[in-house]
Amino acid sequence: MIEVYIDGASAGNPGPSGAGIFIKGNGLNKKYSIPLGIISNHEAEFQAFLHALKICIEHKFTVVSFRTDSELVNRAVEKEFVKNELFAPMLQEALQLSKQFDLFFMKWIPSRENNVADELARKAIQKSRTGEK
C-alpha cells in the first residue's frame, strides 16, 4: 500500500501558499513542494489533496492511503459534503479522482505526524513568493 501524506499551508489567509506531498511505500520515497499562489489555507489543503491524487494516478498507484492533518478535508471526503461553496468544486473533483483507485483510504492524523508534508508545504510557500516553479 502507498501512504500519501499531504499538507497545505499559507503565509497569511489568504497569502502565498504551497502544497506538500510525501509519498512512501513499496520502496518509494517521493517528495513534492508545489507553489499554489495566493489562496487561503483551507484552499491550499484541498489543492494539496488534488495534486496528490493526480500524482498517484499518473504513477498508476491502485491502493492508496491518504493522511492529512486537515480536519476540514478529512471530514469533507468522509461525508462527501462541504458547507462552504468555495470548496465544493474541489471536493467533487477529488471524489471523482478517488474513484480511479482500487482501494482508497483517507485518515486524519495529528500535525506532529505530518512533519514531512508540512515542511514541503512551507518550502512551496517560499517558491510561491519568489515565483519559482
Side-chain angles (χ1 to χ4, degrees):
M1 177 179 303
I2 301 296
E3 293 179 4
V4 183
Y5 294 80
I6 58 172
D7 198 17
S10 295
N13 204 16
S17 302
I21 302 165
F22 175 48
I23 301 173
K24 69 179 190 174
N26 296 347
L28 286 174
N29 190 343
K30 295 184 173 277
K31 297 177 181 179
Y32 301 86
S33 287
I34 303 167
L36 300 173
I38 307 294
I39 59 175
S40 74
N41 187 62
H42 288 312
E43 287 173 288
E45 296 281 7
F46 272 103
Q47 288 296 324
F49 183 38
L50 287 170
H51 280 283
L53 285 164
K54 291 171 184 175
I55 289 167
C56 289
I57 290 166
E58 286 173 16
H59 284 89
K60 298 182 179 13
F61 300 143
T62 58
V63 179
V64 295
S65 177
F66 282 80
R67 315 291 170 91
T68 180
D69 59 12
S70 170
E71 291 182 32
L72 173 68
V73 172
N74 185 65
R75 195 175 321 117
V77 171
E78 188 177 281
K79 296 182 184 289
E80 297 187 3
F81 174 79
V82 66
K83 286 182 184 177
N84 188 325
E85 291 182 20
L86 176 66
F87 308 135
M90 291 182 281
L91 174 61
Q92 289 309 310
E93 182 180 357
L95 293 172
Q96 287 300 316
L97 290 170
S98 71
K99 292 177 183 174
Q100 296 185 42
F101 300 99
D102 293 338
L103 282 174
F104 168 86
F105 302 98
M106 175 71 101
K107 180 180 178 183
W108 178 86
I109 58 172
S111 296
R112 69 181 177 277
E113 293 178 22
N114 207 23
N115 290 339
V116 176
D118 178 66
E119 180 183 315
L120 293 166
R122 293 182 189 287
K123 284 183 183 175
I125 289 173
Q126 295 306 317
K127 290 180 182 180
S128 189
R129 284 181 168 153
T130 62
E132 190 180 332
K133 301 234 177 200

